[in-house]
């Protein structure tokens, strides 16, 4: 792992454990074991580290969601997208915590959030295509994306809290409930 990657990983670990304000640059340097000069070679300050970390994770989310989606079947695409994000969060708990606690907080400036939207272009296109094909209700695609994301997050929280011993049938039920919420005609399957 490169020194830059070590700094980013250390920052992720510290921020998810104690928050942005409680994490100082000196603590990041100390915990990462990377020399001051090396850190400053890659980043001007803590805000620049957080910006890069935020953009990196946002790009991961956008890429992971669309990975291996089938070309022509909109419902299969939805299922694959849903499962991709669910398992990404289950297998990357720090990314999940960051997404929930940090990325959606007012501590991340709106200008950075707007900049990161570029990584969700394929997801937005998917929902626009579904609306255009009259499979989905004609809703604002940003709202659709957020609701999709929120449905996945809700199941991840159930998994994390072990409120229900999740089985494949529960995951499939959650996908079906989510899918039906977007459908224009509830008889379409």
């Amino acid at each position: 792992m490169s020194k830059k990657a070590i700094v980013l990983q250390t920052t992720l670990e510290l921020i998810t454990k104690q928050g942005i304000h409680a994490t100082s640059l000196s603590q990041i340097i100390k915990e990462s074991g990377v020399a001051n000069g090396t850190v400053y070679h890659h980043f001007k300050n803590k805000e620049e580290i957080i910006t890069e970390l935020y953009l990196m994770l946002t790009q991961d989310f956008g890429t992971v969601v669309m990975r291996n989606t089938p070309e022509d079947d909109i419902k299969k695409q939805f299922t694959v997208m849903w499962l991709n994000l669910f398992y990404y969060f289950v297998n990357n708990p720090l990314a999940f915590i960051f997404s929930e606690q940090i990325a959606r907080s007012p501590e991340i400036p709106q200008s950075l959030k707007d900049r990161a939207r570029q990584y969700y272009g394929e997801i937005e296109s998917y929902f626009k295509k579904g609306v255009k094909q009259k499979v989905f209700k004609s809703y604002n695609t940003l709202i659709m994306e957020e609701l999709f994301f929120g449905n996945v997050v809700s199941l991840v929280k159930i998994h994390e809290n072990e409120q229900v011993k999740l089985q494949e049938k529960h995951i499939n039920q959650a996908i079906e409930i989510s899918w039906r919420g977007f459908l224009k005609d509830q008889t379409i399957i």
Side-chain angles (χ1 to χ4, degrees):
M1 187 182 292
S2 72
K3 302 278 187 193
K4 184 176 182 179
I6 291 169
V7 170
L8 289 168
Q9 181 64 32
T10 301
T11 304
L12 176 62
E13 291 167 5
L14 291 170
I15 287 176
T16 55
K17 190 183 307 178
Q18 60 195 33
I20 290 175
H21 293 299
T23 302
S24 67
L25 183 56
S26 60
Q27 185 183 22
I28 293 168
I29 292 168
K30 180 181 176 194
E31 294 290 324
S32 70
V34 175
N36 284 5
T38 304
V39 173
Y40 284 110
H41 171 74
H42 295 291
F43 307 101
K44 291 179 189 172
N45 51 39
K46 181 177 92 170
E47 289 72 28
E48 204 172 273
I49 298 171
I50 292 167
T51 296
E52 183 151 342
L53 183 61
Y54 178 81
L55 290 173
M56 181 184 78
L57 288 173
T58 304
Q59 184 176 14
D60 278 356
F61 300 154
T63 302
V64 164
V65 168
M66 298 310 293
R67 186 172 291 140
N68 299 320
T69 55
E71 295 275 328
D72 297 326
D73 187 323
I74 196 162
K75 184 173 184 183
K76 284 183 183 173
Q77 288 173 330
F78 186 90
T79 300
V80 169
M81 291 165 59
W82 212 99
L83 289 170
N84 284 346
L85 188 58
F86 175 78
Y87 285 113
Y88 175 79
F89 281 147
V90 166
N91 294 319
N92 297 283
L94 291 180
F96 179 68
I97 293 167
F98 185 88
S99 169
E100 279 300 281
Q101 294 179 359
I102 310 303
R104 298 182 177 277
S105 79
E107 296 172 334
I108 301 294
Q110 188 60 47
S111 59
L112 181 56
K113 292 175 185 178
D114 291 343
R115 194 169 138 202
R117 289 274 325 137
Q118 67 180 312
Y119 300 120
Y120 295 144
E122 284 186 76
I123 301 167
E124 182 181 9
S125 294
Y126 167 80
F127 283 107
K128 282 183 176 180
K129 178 180 161 189
V131 168
K132 185 176 180 182
Q133 292 177 352
K134 299 186 185 320
V135 173
F136 294 149
K137 295 172 186 156
S138 185
Y139 293 148
N140 177 292
T141 53
L142 179 58
I143 293 171
M144 295 173 85
E145 292 170 49
E146 289 296 323
L147 290 173
F148 170 84
F149 188 85
N151 287 328
V152 175
V153 164
S154 294
L155 202 67
V156 173
K157 287 179 181 179
I158 290 170
H159 170 77
E160 295 276 313
N161 296 328
E162 298 179 352
Q163 294 170 340
V164 173
K165 179 86 169 128
L166 284 182
Q167 299 168 8
E168 188 175 338
K169 72 177 183 176
H170 299 120
I171 296 168
N172 290 332
Q173 289 168 352
I175 294 168
E176 187 64 25
I177 291 166
S178 183
W179 167 254
R180 288 185 176 273
F182 292 103
L183 290 181
K184 184 175 183 75
D185 177 359
Q186 294 296 314
T187 60
I188 297 175
I189 297 191

